Every structure is written in structure tokens, then in C-alpha cells.
Amino acid sequence: SHGSIKAAILFILPAVGGTILSAIFLPDFVTVGASGGIFGYMGAAIADIWQNKDLLFSSEVNTESKNKYRHYMVLLVLGADIFGQCLLGFTPAIDNFTHIGAMS
């Protein structure tokens, strides 16, 4: 079960880690924002899917034909979001080091 304390920890730790990575690679810039924590949530979602892939993609779970590909759609949307945000990170005002550091 998830609670607000676990969610806060899952948000704050990646945000701090991403900020530290950003400070190491971009010491002359100050960055602020919630994107590090959001990328931490995305990384946690991917890790959860990876750890439970045998169950999520099994035929026992995916019995209905209309819901057969729902877990693939989640991965596709997460991947597209991460890819799009990293592309936006090439603009001058977005910090990819925070994003990548928080997600890993």
C-alpha cells in the first residue's frame, strides 16, 4: 500500500538527487522546479513495471481482449513522455541533468 509519506519520500529523494547531479554538471546555473520529483515518479513506475513484468504481461492477468494491451500502452505513454521531455531539455531553460538524475 502506498501512503502520503512514501509518496513524499519517492518525490523528494529523486528531486534532491537530480538537483545534486545538475549542480555537479552545471555549477554556474541555478535550477528550480518539480520536474525532478515528477521524473522520480516516472522512474518508479518503470521500475515497478519491470519488477512485475511476468505478472503484468501474463495471460492470467490479460484475459479480456479489450484490456490485453493496456500495460503496453502505459509503457508507450511513459516512454513518449520521457522522450518528449528530454527533447524539450535541449532548450536553454530546461535542465536535462535534473531529469535524468532523478529518474535513475
Side-chain angles (χ1 to χ4, degrees):
S1 69
H2 297 85
S4 57
I5 295 190
K6 289 180 183 178
I9 290 170
L10 192 58
F11 184 85
I12 292 170
L13 286 180
V16 170
T19 303
I20 290 171
L21 187 72
S22 175
I24 290 170
F25 285 102
L26 299 172
D28 297 333
F29 295 97
V30 176
T31 58
V32 294
S35 62
I38 293 168
F39 267 77
Y41 279 145
M42 287 192 271
I46 291 171
D48 184 42
I49 291 169
W50 180 259
Q51 285 182 338
N52 297 303
K53 67 183 178 295
D54 293 335
L55 175 65
L56 290 173
F57 299 107
S58 70
S59 60
E60 290 86 23
V61 173
N62 299 306
T63 56
E64 298 178 26
S65 61
K66 66 178 179 179
N67 292 331
K68 188 175 182 179
Y69 300 106
R70 67 177 183 246
H71 301 298
Y72 291 108
M73 287 302 297
V74 170
L75 282 175
L76 181 68
V77 169
L78 276 172
D81 188 25
I82 291 167
F83 180 74
Q85 293 297 328
C86 288
L87 278 180
L88 284 175
F90 289 116
T91 61
I94 310 282
D95 184 8
N96 263 345
F97 288 110
T98 300
H99 296 166
I100 302 302
M103 196 171 52
S104 54

